[in-house]
Amino acid sequence: MAVPPSTHPRRLLPVFLGLFQGALLLFFALFVTYDEASAQAEDNNLVANQVYSTFPFFQDIQVMLVVGLGLLLTFLPHYGFSALTHNFLLLNFSMQWALVLQGLLHLFHHGQIHLDLHKLLVSEFAAVTVLISVGAILGRASPCQLLLMATCEIPIYLASEWVIVTCLGVLDVGGTITIHVFSCYFGLGVSKALFRATQQPAHPKETPTPRSDLMSLVGTLILWVFWPSFVAVLCQPGDAQHRAILNTLLAMSASAMTTVVASSLLERDGKLSPGHLQNGSLAGGVAIGVVADMPMPPVAALALGSLSAVVCVLGFRFLTPLLGRKLTLHDQCGIHNLHGLPGILGAAASVVAVLLASQDTSGSHSSQPFPAGGNASEVLEGQWAGRGGSGQALCQAAGLAVAVGASLLAGLLTGAALRLPCLARPPERLCFDDSLYFRIQDQAESPGPDGSAEEGALALKE
């Protein structure tokens, strides 16, 4: 009996992952080690304090990415297994791939890479870009396509982040520009190239159900609770980190309240849209990241959170259908409304905040009024005095332009590569269905011939 045509595409995923994990084991065995323990008691106490202060933030971010973001993607009623599992798989693959690339590019010291919690955290931030970008093509791409997308996106993100933060000196402690804006337009570029100029019709399994919307809303609540840790983890401990946490909480609280108001006003009967709540409540966290540690009044954080929620809800209501009709742009999860528009709004707010702070001569820090966090701390040290407020504001705008331009171009090229036939993109009739990738015990939840093995084999053959 001939081997069914679905065999090779189905085996491509485990073969690819097995080879990657084997190569990673060899790479770690040859080059990766932990930092050597110091003999000085003072140094040991310093390392312990750093671990105890960072690891709680790290755990919060893990819960955000694995549980919160995974549940947020379960709004598709027949794609819950795939959304959760692919999100978990991409997180681990992208984090390991980012560790390898960082080691090859930046972390070699005398032939070895010294691994620590900070490097692992930066690698997880790189993985976040992939998890956001795949939202544009969720349900219409195979696991092999998603892994190839992650393989291409991680090095491009690391290069973009280096240019924006290190070369331009952009202040972006919460990743509004480097993570949210970049990942949004990379995903949109992939979607545009992958689906070309064809209008994607509404799929019968694409409509959320009350149960799937409820699970997605639970993911939103988890993300909402832990989001301040994501923004503040790379801030300098002390006043800057404290201010970032407070500003993030205020912005997200305002965005949650404003989302209810905007959604109710836009609906004819005054009822709330679950999609608006799932996304608009988080928009404040996206926008505040770039200015979270900057000295500004609390009312500014509230205003930015409210405005970002309005922009997000209006985007879902008007802009997404317009882009679908005019540009045939497919955005399954609405990442443009949650990450793109609030990200641009936050970048614009950072320009205003920099210009206003440069005019305030009452500050006690003459060389650097904005406490920089994360990778920007070493670059920005001493640069503020020579650059001036207008120069820093120009750098903020330039960083936004680099993020949008580089991500769009790279996304278009990556989307073209995802059209390779060997990557087994599912046909339209089998999209948004777990039974194509999982052995579902209760087939009653996905009735009809679409979930049968014969249909799956035909889909992979095509």
Side-chain angles (χ1 to χ4, degrees):
M1 183 177 179
V3 178
S6 63
T7 299
H8 299 297
R10 288 186 186 276
R11 289 180 178 175
L12 182 61
L13 177 63
V15 168
F16 178 82
L17 289 178
L19 291 176
F20 172 80
Q21 200 64 46
L24 187 77
L25 289 172
L26 180 62
F27 180 82
F28 268 60
L30 295 176
F31 302 111
V32 180
T33 184
Y34 294 114
D35 287 333
E36 296 181 0
S38 174
Q40 300 293 330
E42 296 81 2
D43 293 341
N44 283 332
N45 292 333
L46 178 62
V47 173
N49 291 333
Q50 291 176 347
V51 172
Y52 295 149
S53 63
T54 304
F55 190 66
F57 289 105
F58 182 81
Q59 286 181 306
D60 292 349
I61 295 172
Q62 288 283 86
V63 175
M64 285 180 63
L65 301 182
V66 176
V67 184
L69 185 57
L71 289 176
L72 181 64
L73 301 177
T74 59
F75 64 94
L76 297 171
H78 300 279
Y79 203 68
F81 283 106
S82 301
L84 281 168
T85 305
H86 294 165
N87 179 78
F88 186 55
L89 173 63
L90 288 172
L91 171 63
N92 288 277
F93 173 83
S94 302
M95 180 189 66
Q96 294 182 14
W97 180 225
L99 279 175
V100 171
L101 292 178
Q102 287 187 92
L104 293 175
L105 296 175
H106 303 293
L107 307 179
F108 271 112
H109 295 289
H110 308 291
Q112 284 189 325
I113 302 169
H114 294 277
L115 188 63
D116 58 21
L117 187 59
H118 178 76
K119 295 180 179 66
L120 194 63
L121 183 60
V122 173
S123 299
E124 288 227 334
F125 275 14
V128 172
T129 62
V130 177
L131 303 184
I132 295 174
S133 297
V134 298
I137 59 174
L138 184 71
R140 297 183 185 269
S142 68
C144 293
Q145 287 178 309
L146 299 181
L147 288 175
L148 179 59
M149 179 177 174
T151 304
C152 298
E153 184 171 3
I154 292 297
I156 298 169
Y157 161 76
L158 293 175
S160 172
E161 192 262 353
W162 179 78
V163 171
I164 293 172
V165 174
T166 304
C167 296
L168 296 177
V170 172
L171 296 165
D172 187 17
V173 71
T176 298
I177 299 174
T178 56
I179 294 178
H180 293 285
V181 172
F182 175 89
S183 57
C184 168
Y185 289 100
F186 185 92
L188 294 180
V190 170
S191 176
K192 181 63 178 177
L194 179 60
F195 304 121
R196 293 184 178 176
T198 58
Q199 181 70 36
Q200 297 299 317
H203 197 280
K205 296 181 179 180
E206 191 176 359
T207 304
T209 63
R211 181 180 178 182
S212 64
D213 268 334
L214 179 61
M215 292 296 294
S216 182
L217 186 58
V218 172
T220 296
L221 299 180
I222 294 174
L223 288 169
W224 193 95
V225 169
F226 292 108
W227 202 288
S229 296
F230 181 85
V231 174
V233 64
L234 292 181
C235 289
Q236 292 179 353
D239 184 60
Q241 197 169 66
H242 183 223
R243 183 165 52 244
I245 293 174
L246 294 178
N247 285 333
T248 304
L249 286 172
L250 289 175
M252 299 199 69
S253 179
S255 65
M257 298 285 288
T258 307
T259 298
V260 174
V261 175
S263 179
S264 179
L265 291 177
L266 287 176
E267 298 295 331
R268 294 181 179 178
D269 52 4
K271 296 182 179 180
L272 302 178
S273 168
H276 294 166
L277 292 177
Q278 293 158 6
N279 295 273
S281 302
L282 304 175
V286 175
I288 198 64
V290 68
V291 295
D293 62 337
M294 295 183 182
M296 61 182 184
V299 67
L302 288 171
L304 185 59
S306 297
L307 188 57
S308 63
V310 171
V311 169
C312 179
V313 173
L314 291 177
F316 273 103
R317 185 67 173 83
F318 301 107
L319 186 58
T320 296
L322 179 64
L323 293 177
R325 291 193 307 267
K326 300 298 183 180
L327 301 180
T328 62
L329 185 61
H330 177 76
D331 184 5
Q332 185 63 46
C333 295
I335 61 174
H336 188 227
N337 306 313
L338 176 55
H339 302 277
L341 297 178
I344 294 175
L345 178 64
S350 71
V351 173
V352 176
V354 166
L355 292 175
L356 293 178
S358 65
Q359 300 174 2
D360 185 7
T361 58
S362 61
S364 59
H365 300 281
S366 59
S367 62
Q368 186 182 340
F370 295 159
N375 297 335
S377 58
E378 298 179 0
V379 179
L380 295 174
E381 185 68 28
Q383 284 189 359
W384 177 266
R387 178 178 292 172
S390 59
Q392 182 64 38
L394 184 61
C395 288
Q396 297 292 120
L400 176 63
V402 170
V404 174
S407 59
L408 270 177
L409 178 59
L412 290 171
L413 296 176
T414 302
L418 296 187
R419 298 183 63 86
L420 292 173
C422 64
L423 297 178
R425 174 187 163 191
E428 183 64 24
R429 68 180 182 278
L430 291 181
C431 291
F432 312 109
D433 197 333
D434 285 326
S435 62
L436 186 59
Y437 307 111
F438 286 86
R439 186 180 300 278
I440 307 298
Q441 297 298 331
D442 187 7
Q443 294 294 340
E445 294 185 0
S446 55
D450 288 348
S452 64
E454 292 78 7
E455 288 290 338
L458 179 61
L460 291 173
K461 179 180 178 181
E462 293 179 355

